Amino acid sequence: MPETYDVAVVGAGVVALAVAEELLARGLTVAVIGPYGGDHAGQATRAAGAMLSMFSEIEPGHPGDRVSVETGERLAAHRAYPAWLSRLAATGERVVSTVAGTWVLAPAGRLAQLAPITAAARAAGHPAEEHDAGQIPGLHTPVDTAGALWLPTEARIDSGLLMEALSRVIRRHPRAVWHDTTATGVATGVVRCADGARVEAGDVVLAAGVATASLLDEAGRPVGVPPILAGRGASVLLHAPAVSVPHVVRTPNAAFACGAHLVPRADGTVYLGATNRLTTSVDLTHPATLDELAVLAADASTLLDHRLAGAQVRGHRVGLRPYTVDHLPLLGRTRDPRLLLATATYRCGVLLAPRIAALIADEITAPGTLDDHPYRVLRPMPTPAASAALDNDAAQALIEHLVQGGANLPTAAAEQFSEFVELALQVLLDDACEQGAALRRLWRSAPVVEVVPALFALPRRMKGTPDVR
Ligand SMILES: Cc1cc2nc3c(=O)[nH]c(=O)nc-3n(C[C@H](O)[C@H](O)[C@H](O)COP(=O)(O)OP(=O)(O)OC[C@H]3O[C@@H](n4cnc5c(N)ncnc54)[C@H](O)[C@@H]3O)c2cc1C
């Protein structure tokens, strides 16, 4: 084994492992630096439902150019999956398969959210069938459910089984070494490890999720790394024999999160996800709060099927989704030409993994390949004005966030509140407003719509009262 590798890959989530496996498949020597065993606390991958959502993450407010770029990459990932899984199986690994079929159900008053999903699927030549929600197999939907969409080509995978297979393939590979530790710092061609090892490589790929920037001097700013935000998500695993759904069932995105969703697992359990809360203090070890679990429980039984209230909890996980201000991944070289990033996959990293792996391997074997890619690291990042981002959709999503857990607001009051919040935020975030200084600092640290609940909670936090949500 050489002491210096072609590539060192830092991280142990699905992105790092997919990249490492692809590089091995292309004949390179690879060192992986990241935890192998243990409970993988805070890892997004193992907290994920692992829906392979090509279309159902699209929201009515998403700009058309973003939808077209993201859908293109998600479709490319979808096409890459079969060959990727076959390659893993060809190593003698247990076969990990995708299972096709996703139901998207629109809760009362939210039928319009299905329209952009339907449009994107049909534009890509994929079927999208409108149904009555009562037709979803295995589910007793609430009577006021507005409608349902059947996406027969949107699939799921078991992220735990996928990670086991990927980990074993890499561990057994004769051209791979796995340093079961964490990186403490990265410089040109060098990774320093917590166990004292120093790994040298021609290229270093940083794929440590929300921890990526923390491994670089000044959070990577000198080499052009933009801010990487963290969307904390909780999920639970249930034993729910009364609710036997053969396919993914989900609501559209809401309340800054990816809807309530059930994902059946091969062992008979069912995954229920997921919350999404921007967190400015990244702590991989912070367990799920009772409030996060209460939101999951209430959404499951009020939006999906009331019988889920009786399901037994088999376990729960928290993961931190890495994302950027423009919500697109970060792929390719930084200003240090030997340092690459593969991260910021936000809600779709399990889907994107084989596609990202191929793009990174292309860049390493043929430098410059990603120079014009929309996900390149050195793209200009927007600096959105608060007024542009905090529109009426944000106020509406704040209401959805606040009433998670089963509360309700009469329609007229919700509309008034939404317009009031929009106005209040515009005033407070205006530079002329003295009382809004702390809110503006928070906005500048995370200028994304997902910061709205944190803005709303800030005055209370400033008084020293702990967050309840
Ligand atoms: C609740 C939830 C539900 C989701 N649902 C879906 C879904 O249905 N479909 C989908 O496609 N995506 C989903 N996602 C998103 C997806 O999980 C992520 O986009 C993806 O897993 C990110 O992978 P990653 O490898 O970049 O990061 P992670 O999986 O977070 O892995 C990062 C790794 O880096 C390691 N690390 C941290 N610090 C260091 C260090 N110093 N040195 C070495 N290693 C380090 C960590 O231990 C961890 O293993 C979901 C995410 C969450 C949280």
Side-chain angles (χ1 to χ4, degrees), residues 386 390 423-445 451 454-456 458-459 462:
L390 304 180
L423 177 65
L425 284 173
Q426 300 290 359
V427 171
L428 286 164
L429 291 170
D430 190 290
D431 283 342
C433 176
E434 204 178 312
Q435 292 91 334
L439 275 80
R440 288 196 293 279
R441 275 196 300 279
L442 180 55
W443 166 260
R444 280 193 293 270
S445 72
V451 80
L455 291 173
F456 192 75
L458 190 61
M462 284 161 56

Side-chain angles (χ1 to χ4, degrees), residues 11 18 65 75-76 94 133 143 168 171 299 355 357 366 379 382 428 468:
D65 51 351
L75 285 162
R94 178 179 160 186
V143 283
R168 280 195 299 263
R171 280 282 272 227
D299 276 358
R355 169 72 175 162
R379 65 183 181 262
L428 286 164
V468 288

Side-chain angles (χ1 to χ4, degrees), residues 10-16 33-35 40 42-53 181-184 207-211 215 231 233-235 258 261 271 274-275 284 319-322 342-352:
V10 179
V14 71
V15 173
I33 299 104
H40 300 282
Q43 189 192 72
T45 307
R46 283 180 168 85
M51 302 179 288
L52 306 180
S53 308
T181 180
T182 50
T184 53
V210 294
L215 296 172
S235 58
C258 42
H261 49 273
Y271 168 102
T275 57
L284 296 174
L320 294 165
R321 306 172 180 90
T343 189
T345 50
Y346 202 21
R347 294 168 171 149
C348 287
V350 182
L351 167 64
L352 292 176

Side-chain angles (χ1 to χ4, degrees), residues 123-144:
H126 285 246
E129 300 166 12
E130 285 146 30
H131 286 270
D132 187 282
Q135 291 173 284
I136 301 176
L139 210 66
H140 288 184
T141 50
V143 283
D144 58 358

